[in-house]
Amino acid sequence: MMIWISPMLGISIIAIICIGILCLTWLSKRARRVYLKNQSALGAFNSGIEEIVVGKPIIQTFGLEETTTNQVNILNDNLFKSMRSAAFTSQLVEPLVKFLNQITYCLVAIQGGLMVLRGSISIGDIQAFFLYVGQVSDPLSRSSYILTKFQETSAALGRIYEVIDTPAEIDKGNKTLGDTTPHPGTIDFEHVDFGYTPSNVFMKDINIHIPGGSMVAIVGPTGAGKSTLVNLIMRFYDIINGRITIDGIDIRDVSRESLHNTVGMVLQDAWIFTGTIADNIGYGKPNASREEIEYVAKLAMADHFIRTLPDGYDTVLKRGGDDLSQGQRQLITIARAFLADPTILILDEATANVDTRTEVEVQKAMNTLLKGRTSIVIAHRLSTIKNADFLLVVENGTIVEQGTHHELIERGGHYKELYENYAAGMTV
Ligand SMILES: Nc1ncnc2c1ncn2[C@@H]1O[C@H](COP(=O)(O)OP(=O)(O)OP(=O)(O)O)[C@@H](O)[C@H]1O
Ligand SMILES: [Mg+2]
């Protein structure tokens, strides 16, 4: 309409609008940069705060309150600056559009006024121009507002997509492990090579045969690779060469669901979720009755302490079970594993935090429970694993010895040395 009324005046106004669009495009690019920076400052600040809250006792022990506070102050300053810059950018849009709008009004008034004086346009047409200018600026300011909002959202989304776009591990296995063999739970490592990074092969040519139903203990110094071995059975990591089989089936061909139903694991770090003690024990068997839960708690020697709590089995545990001792948490996870009743049970330092007397009691319960079940036990307290069917001695990622406790003591190698050190430590 503007061009139809007066091409010259119309083109001048369109030129100003084009300049405006260029400015807004620049602004929205800047907004994207600023928002990205803002999101990462926010992330850094939040994780800094979380670290302080979680590590409060350690910070106090080392008397580092001031240093830590200063570190967080720096993060806070960064966040303040980037938020100020983000707010400035997003608030700049409206005044910019308004300013351009006023310039077009001035242009219409001056250039139009001169044209009226020359008699090339009527006053009514100028009046119409004022209306049209207002109508053009409204969608422009709205779309620029949407554009900056869009940049803000896409900066936040970018960080979410970093997580969502992580390729999922492909679960190609479709076989299920059953109880078809007479002794289910036979595990074999055949020429297994493994490294946490492809360039650094930590384990080379590992061969292990664990007959179904037997109890195996893995011993060795810290960092030898004991946990690594059991992590490989759980397929938390994939091996480089060779194969690991359970009942003759390569675990890569087994679906993760079936593998994790067959193999149960109790770890040193007991994982407790928010919920009652009964819920925590019943985690592996969703429809377990209260009797079953109490039965396994008794076996795991957890029943006694649970009954001393005000609400017994209905006591609600919060914040990862902070209100229990570490040993008590471990007993709960042992009871949980007993209830889930897996064919293969792995206990990685499962009783490391309970006292020796409780450990002996738990051990007794386990001896009945582990009958007919393959079990792999890792423990630094060698007294608890003397009765294992055989022991694997691991050092630096290799199996250096295997045999029963008596055989290994007679051989007089690594195990004898470990055991003598342990026994000397016990008598001190
Ligand atoms: N996720 C990982 N990424 C890279 N290296 C790892 C990882 N986990 C363990 N390692 C390395 O592998 C080696 C074996 O670790 P592993 O946890 O198996 O030891 P361990 O025998 O269980 O020791 P501990 O008795 O202390 O539990 C160590 O040198 C360790 O640094
Ligand atoms: Mg370990």
Side-chain angles (χ1 to χ4, degrees):
M1 283 302 288
M2 286 193 282
I3 287 174
W4 186 59
I5 296 169
S6 161
M8 218 174 77
L9 198 55
I11 287 170
S12 331
I13 288 169
I14 288 171
I16 293 180
I17 289 174
C18 286
I19 294 171
I21 289 174
L22 283 179
C23 289
L24 289 169
T25 315
W26 170 80
L27 199 69
S28 90
K29 277 196 186 132
R30 181 191 141 87
R32 187 176 171 75
R33 264 200 321 276
V34 169
Y35 288 131
L36 277 175
K37 224 171 115 195
N38 190 26
Q39 289 292 335
S40 65
L42 186 64
F45 177 73
N46 281 339
S47 53
I49 292 286
E50 193 187 331
E51 249 175 54
I52 294 197
V53 173
V54 175
K56 183 174 149 267
I58 315 281
I59 296 169
Q60 284 174 331
T61 321
F62 284 94
L64 290 175
E65 288 92 337
E66 207 181 311
T67 324
T68 322
T69 313
N70 287 342
Q71 283 165 352
V72 171
N73 277 344
I74 294 172
L75 292 176
N76 196 15
D77 273 352
N78 280 344
L79 180 61
F80 168 70
K81 281 183 195 141
S82 67
M83 278 194 148
R84 189 175 55 186
S85 162
F88 179 76
T89 310
S90 68
Q91 297 306 315
L92 201 62
V93 175
E94 211 188 322
L96 189 75
V97 170
K98 284 211 167 128
F99 179 65
L100 284 170
N101 199 12
Q102 298 309 318
I103 288 185
T104 41
Y105 274 124
C106 291
L107 187 89
V108 172
I110 296 167
Q111 198 182 351
L114 290 173
M115 284 163 84
V116 170
L117 286 180
R118 281 203 300 271
S120 56
I121 198 170
S122 71
I123 292 244
D125 285 338
I126 297 293
Q127 183 64 35
F129 254 96
F130 277 122
L131 264 176
Y132 292 139
V133 165
Q135 280 176 8
V136 166
S137 80
D138 193 43
L140 199 65
S141 73
R142 267 171 211 252
S143 46
S144 54
Y145 175 75
I146 291 171
L147 206 65
T148 40
K149 271 281 159 224
F150 182 76
Q151 294 293 9
E152 187 180 345
T153 318
S154 83
L157 263 183
R159 289 170 65 87
I160 296 172
Y161 275 120
E162 262 174 43
V163 179
I164 293 181
D165 287 344
T166 313
E169 284 179 4
I170 303 163
D171 186 6
K172 286 201 213 99
N174 49 15
K175 293 192 183 160
T176 39
L177 295 166
D179 298 334
T180 43
T181 49
H183 293 289
T186 306
I187 305 170
D188 281 287
F189 279 60
E190 296 168 14
H191 307 291
V192 171
D193 292 344
F194 171 73
Y196 282 102
T197 50
S199 56
N200 182 10
V201 178
F202 173 57
M203 293 186 155
K204 250 197 126 33
D205 200 27
I206 301 285
N207 292 289
I208 306 171
H209 172 71
I210 301 174
S214 58
M215 175 184 171
V216 189
I218 306 180
V219 296
T222 295
K226 303 181 292 295
S227 301
T228 308
L229 276 181
V230 296
N231 284 341
L232 293 182
I233 299 174
M234 290 299 271
R235 246 195 105 196
F236 289 151
Y237 300 94
D238 271 330
I239 53 178
I240 304 174
N241 288 316
R243 59 182 212 142
I244 301 173
T245 61
I246 295 179
D247 297 334
I249 306 173
D250 192 324
I251 55 169
R252 281 171 293 202
D253 297 333
V254 176
S255 70
R256 270 177 213 276
E257 193 191 347
S258 169
L259 182 66
H260 294 166
N261 284 340
T262 310
V263 189
M265 203 166 179
V266 184
L267 300 173
Q268 185 169 10
D269 305 317
W271 178 67
I272 299 286
F273 59 86
T274 307
T276 65
I277 291 192
D279 290 342
N280 265 286
I281 296 178
Y283 185 69
K285 192 177 175 190
N287 45 14
S289 67
R290 182 53 70 92
E291 286 75 35
E292 283 178 284
I293 289 175
E294 290 183 12
Y295 172 70
V296 291
K298 277 194 190 102
L299 284 180
M301 309 305 293
D303 183 67
H304 176 71
F305 92 81
I306 294 172
R307 289 197 187 279
T308 58
L309 296 172
D311 295 325
Y313 282 85
D314 294 315
T315 309
V316 176
L317 302 175
K318 291 191 198 88
R319 287 170 295 137
D322 271 0
D323 23 15
L324 295 180
S325 81
Q326 257 187 320
Q328 290 169 336
R329 268 180 268 162
Q330 278 193 325
L331 295 181
I332 288 183
T333 52
I334 292 174
R336 185 191 288 163
F338 283 175
L339 186 66
D341 193 27
T343 316
I344 300 170
L345 185 61
I346 298 174
L347 303 159
D348 188 352
E349 298 283 336
T351 47
N353 291 314
V354 298
D355 65 88
T356 17
R357 214 187 75 193
T358 312
E359 186 174 17
V360 171
E361 299 282 314
V362 174
Q363 198 61 45
K364 270 191 217 151
M366 275 191 205
N367 289 343
T368 39
L369 223 120
L370 297 181
K371 265 202 190 93
R373 191 191 304 270
T374 311
S375 57
I376 302 175
V377 184
I378 301 177
H380 280 127
R381 287 187 201 154
L382 300 183
S383 57
T384 54
I385 49 181
K386 263 173 26 186
N387 303 328
D389 292 323
F390 69 100
L391 297 112
L392 295 170
V393 186
V394 186
E395 229 161 81
N396 269 332
T398 32
I399 312 270
V400 287
E401 280 173 5
Q402 46 182 308
T404 62
H405 171 74
H406 295 291
E407 283 169 13
L408 293 177
I409 291 286
E410 271 172 30
R411 188 178 298 174
H414 297 267
Y415 180 72
K416 188 168 182 244
E417 196 185 329
L418 266 177
Y419 191 77
E420 277 171 356
N421 285 341
Y422 167 75
M426 289 304 283
T427 49
V428 166

